[in-house]
Amino acid sequence: MKKFFPTSGWSRRKLLQTAPALCATTLLPRDLFAAQANHPADTAKPFSTFTDIAASAGLTAKMYYGVPEAVTYIIEEMGGGCAFFDYDNDGWMDIFILGGRTLEAVPPDASNRLYKNNRNGTFKDVTKEAGLWDAGWAVGVCVGDYNNDGFEDLFLTYYGQNKLYRNNGNGTFTDVTEKAHLTHDTIRFGAGCTFIDYNRDGFLDLFVSNYVDIDMANALKPSLSVPNCNYEGVPVACGPKGLKAPQHFLYKNNGDGTFTDVSKESGIAAIKSSYGLTAVSFDIDEDGWPDLFVACDTTQSLLLLNNHDGTFREEGLMRGVAISPDGQEMAGMGIGVGDYDLDGHLDIVKTHFQLQAAGLYRNDGKGNFDDVAHEAGLAGERTYVSWGTGLVDLDNDGFPDIFWVTGNVYAEVERINPKFPYKGPRLLFRNRGNGTFARLGDEAGPGIGAHHVSRGCAFGDFDNDGDLDIVIMNQHEPPSLLRNDAPKENNWIKVRLEGTKSNRSAIGARVLVHYAGKVQAQSVMSQASYMSSNDPRLHFGLGKAVSADIEVIWPTGVTEKYPGQAANRLISILEGHGIVAGRPFQTL
């Protein structure tokens, strides 16, 4: 038991919270909550309609990732993410999709893809012109302006060598990985990443989570006779169980375009017990300093709290997010962050493997969490392997909803056991405004029920019409772009932040919006969903409210307030200067 407990900081309350979870595997049945039923939907109340317009919008490139027929190594299963970001600062969200290759070869059209928004509902593939053409085992993406020049940069994780692309401000990117001192000699399975200003010096530092230690040159292959190399009686790719858990890394931004590895000094290097996937950063305990949460596969997820002195402490177990309520180590995949119960504190939704319920973790405002998925009506859904997710308001009614994408990792298993389908639908749960959610299906449009093998998804308003659209990375086919047509009677407001003393991307800033007697919290983050990056413009549905009061807590700790802001517009706020003209915001 020694490995679970830190040397200090344990209150009687925390001990009482944690002890039952440690004993739960012997006291509670594994499927205690399996019979939880979904709450019925309120079909009388209009909701959004989602239509996949990827083909007509020009998102047509196939995203390779191994072959679906029979995966040999775990590397072929896990990628990749995607992003909404405005790379050319024209006020319209562009799209970036991560892809892979096959084991045998690199197909000539295999590459990550950058799609420029044409501002008319279509996109242009500008990958080659932008200098981003690359075929490898790309996994995750995080977005942030690491050099504070006003243009968003990209960091990509790979099986092999991660890459930092500097945005040159002229429509092109330069691979500056070596120049930034971010190369490494050994093979790593890079997974999650997030820019984070952990020391609050105004420069974005970088956290990278790694998945497993594996070298394909000597890795085991699927086998019925080898533990962790078969599933449901079918030989499948080995792992992650049975593979060594890797180290995770923290890099300090030196302010001159280079980074220094501070993993050891910060305490990050000592954490080698979990298979890291998606990494998010926000002020979890609301002490004014950015923290880290890492979804981990088949091991305890990690909650890394900032000690304000350049170091972090791991407290996932004692704060309720490391394992399931019945004491199981879960297959953590994606992370959504939002304020589902409108109490002004940032909650977490985390997706898991099939036969496991998603987690919905309610934050008490001090960084202590309760998994309320059962009470909220989410625990009954355990059919699919679930990945990218969001806790976002999709119908602008003022209550954040939950969405996630699905897709199995074992095509071989479905042929023998159809209860484990390879392709899966999108899952959408409407916030009913009382702490519970209702699952929606066909009534939310054809884009929801369509089956794919999906991984990352990102949320953003690509057509600037005041609702959140969704881009999805699908393996072995082109991406999906779900256009959201939200109820017109609901209002909304967007907040775009730009730091001056804080990092220019304002990553780590927390925003509270007050409307119609409610309050909702959001945070500017570099990565979320499943190793993806959302539109950095924070989007708040307001329901019938026609105005809102905005409160910004900047990464420096300074708070600014902007009361009485009219609805249905983008508000750009420059730290220390107030509301400014900002980038254009024009609808189609």
Side-chain angles (χ1 to χ4, degrees):
M1 300 292 287
K2 180 179 178 181
K3 67 177 181 178
F4 292 129
F5 294 93
T7 57
S8 63
W10 280 81
S11 65
R12 181 174 181 272
R13 177 184 182 276
K14 291 175 182 177
L15 283 167
L16 291 173
Q17 269 193 326
T18 306
L22 295 176
C23 302
T25 52
T26 59
L27 297 177
L28 298 176
R30 183 179 182 89
D31 55 355
L32 176 66
F33 305 120
Q36 169 67 23
N38 292 321
H39 291 273
D42 182 4
T43 55
K45 187 179 178 182
F47 194 77
S48 295
T49 300
F50 290 91
T51 306
D52 188 351
I53 63 165
S56 61
L59 277 63
T60 58
K62 178 180 178 180
M63 304 313 295
Y64 293 90
Y65 228 94
V67 294
E69 292 78 18
V71 170
T72 304
Y73 301 111
I74 197 170
I75 289 89
E76 302 171 78
E77 297 174 348
M78 306 308 292
C82 54
F84 274 120
F85 80 120
D86 185 6
Y87 83 96
D88 53 0
N89 287 358
D90 67 349
W92 296 79
M93 287 296 117
D94 309 296
I95 291 175
F96 188 66
I97 310 287
L98 274 65
R101 47 166 294 179
T102 67
L103 285 179
E104 292 74 20
V106 177
D109 57 338
S111 174
N112 304 322
R113 297 283 177 161
L114 176 64
Y115 293 98
K116 174 178 168 54
N117 194 325
N118 293 327
R119 313 177 205 174
N120 61 1
T122 68
F123 292 80
K124 179 183 178 182
D125 187 337
V126 295
T127 312
K128 290 183 178 179
E129 303 95 295
L132 292 173
W133 190 269
D134 183 54
W137 298 107
V139 184
V141 56
C142 55
V143 177
D145 185 1
Y146 81 92
N147 56 359
N148 287 336
D149 67 349
F151 291 90
E152 301 283 11
D153 309 298
L154 295 171
F155 184 81
L156 311 183
T157 59
Y158 283 80
Y159 172 74
Q161 173 63 57
N162 302 326
K163 296 187 178 182
L164 175 65
Y165 286 100
R166 184 189 66 216
N167 189 332
N168 298 319
N170 60 0
T172 69
F173 292 78
T174 299
D175 182 347
V176 294
T177 312
E178 183 175 359
K179 182 178 180 179
H181 303 165
L182 291 172
T183 56
H184 45 81
D185 297 328
T186 58
I187 295 175
R188 296 179 187 171
F189 197 153
C193 61
T194 184
F195 286 106
I196 170 178
D197 185 6
Y198 78 96
N199 54 6
R200 302 201 318 183
D201 67 351
F203 291 96
L204 286 173
D205 313 297
L206 179 64
F207 173 83
V208 180
S209 64
N210 288 302
Y211 184 45
V212 295
D213 277 345
I214 183 173
D215 185 344
M216 285 193 289
N218 51 32
L220 294 173
K221 295 185 177 181
S223 172
L224 284 175
S225 61
V226 179
N228 305 305
C229 296
N230 54 80
Y231 183 81
E232 293 289 315
V234 180
V236 298
C238 304
K241 288 293 189 181
L243 298 174
K244 183 180 178 182
Q247 179 191 321
H248 312 299
F249 288 85
L250 179 66
Y251 300 94
K252 179 183 180 296
N253 190 329
N254 298 320
D256 59 0
T258 68
F259 292 80
T260 298
D261 184 347
V262 294
S263 307
K264 183 176 181 180
E265 301 91 315
S266 65
I268 298 296
I271 304 169
K272 300 180 180 179
S273 58
S274 293
Y275 306 126
L277 288 174
T278 307
V280 300
S281 174
F282 63 100
D283 186 1
I284 291 169
D285 54 1
E286 298 178 19
D287 65 351
W289 292 76
D291 309 297
L292 291 160
F293 179 59
V294 186
C296 298
D297 191 1
T298 72
T299 48
Q300 294 184 34
S301 290
L302 304 173
L303 184 66
L304 305 170
L305 293 180
N306 195 322
N307 291 324
H308 313 172
D309 60 359
T311 67
F312 290 81
R313 65 190 188 276
E314 204 292 301
E315 295 187 355
L317 186 66
M318 65 188 288
R319 290 180 178 269
V321 291
I323 57 179
S324 73
D326 59 342
Q328 300 296 317
E329 293 180 331
M330 307 294 278
M333 306 292 194
I335 301 172
V337 178
D339 184 4
Y340 86 95
D341 54 356
L342 303 185
D343 64 354
H345 307 305
L346 290 169
D347 311 302
I348 296 171
V349 60
K350 180 159 66 77
T351 55
H352 299 132
F353 205 71
Q354 61 196 18
L355 305 182
Q356 298 178 348
L360 177 60
Y361 305 96
R362 183 175 58 207
N363 189 348
D364 69 354
K366 298 180 181 179
N368 302 303
F369 293 85
D370 292 310
D371 188 344
V372 297
H374 177 72
E375 300 93 314
L378 301 177
E381 175 47 62
R382 302 182 179 208
T383 303
Y384 305 99
V385 181
S386 300
W387 304 85
T389 185
L391 185 47
V392 290
D393 189 353
L394 295 171
D395 62 348
N396 288 339
D397 69 347
F399 294 94
D401 311 294
I402 294 175
F403 174 96
W404 70 73
V405 299
T406 68
N408 215 313
V409 294
Y410 307 132
E412 310 94 314
V413 174
E414 181 185 32
R415 292 193 286 269
I416 296 175
N417 192 341
K419 77 174 183 179
F420 298 116
Y422 185 50
K423 294 183 177 182
R426 290 73 190 253
L427 301 182
L428 173 60
F429 295 87
R430 180 181 202 166
N431 192 328
R432 301 171 77 237
N434 61 359
T436 68
F437 292 81
R439 182 174 170 184
L440 302 182
D442 292 341
E443 64 267 42
I448 299 300
H451 284 58
H452 300 268
V453 180
S454 302
R455 293 297 184 259
C457 67
F459 303 84
D461 187 358
F462 83 88
D463 49 5
N464 284 349
D465 67 348
D467 53 35
L468 289 175
D469 311 296
I470 308 169
V471 64
I472 304 169
M473 186 277 184
N474 301 316
Q475 289 190 336
H476 321 303
E477 61 174 315
S480 297
L481 179 60
L482 303 189
R483 187 192 65 217
N484 181 0
D485 295 304
K488 297 300 182 184
E489 60 264 35
N490 291 334
N491 298 316
W492 53 271
I493 201 165
K494 293 183 188 291
V495 179
R496 180 185 175 272
L497 302 179
E498 184 173 342
T500 53
K501 294 182 179 179
S502 303
N503 68 87
R504 194 155 180 179
S505 296
I507 290 171
R510 187 162 54 97
V511 175
L512 299 175
V513 170
H514 302 259
Y515 53 97
K518 307 177 183 71
V519 59
Q520 184 185 156
Q522 291 189 34
S523 182
V524 181
M525 298 189 299
S526 174
Q527 181 170 92
S529 184
Y530 176 72
M531 297 189 286
S532 298
S533 190
N534 297 328
D535 185 338
R537 304 171 299 182
L538 301 181
H539 179 93
F540 296 83
L542 301 179
K544 300 302 186 291
V546 297
S547 66
D549 300 333
I550 300 173
E551 181 178 352
V552 181
I553 301 95
W554 293 95
T556 59
V558 173
T559 298
E560 297 176 356
K561 297 183 178 181
Y562 302 93
Q565 300 303 314
N568 301 326
R569 63 194 181 108
L570 169 68
I571 295 177
S572 295
I573 301 175
L574 183 64
E575 184 180 17
H577 297 269
I579 297 174
V580 297
R583 296 178 188 172
F585 186 81
Q586 302 165 321
T587 58
L588 294 180

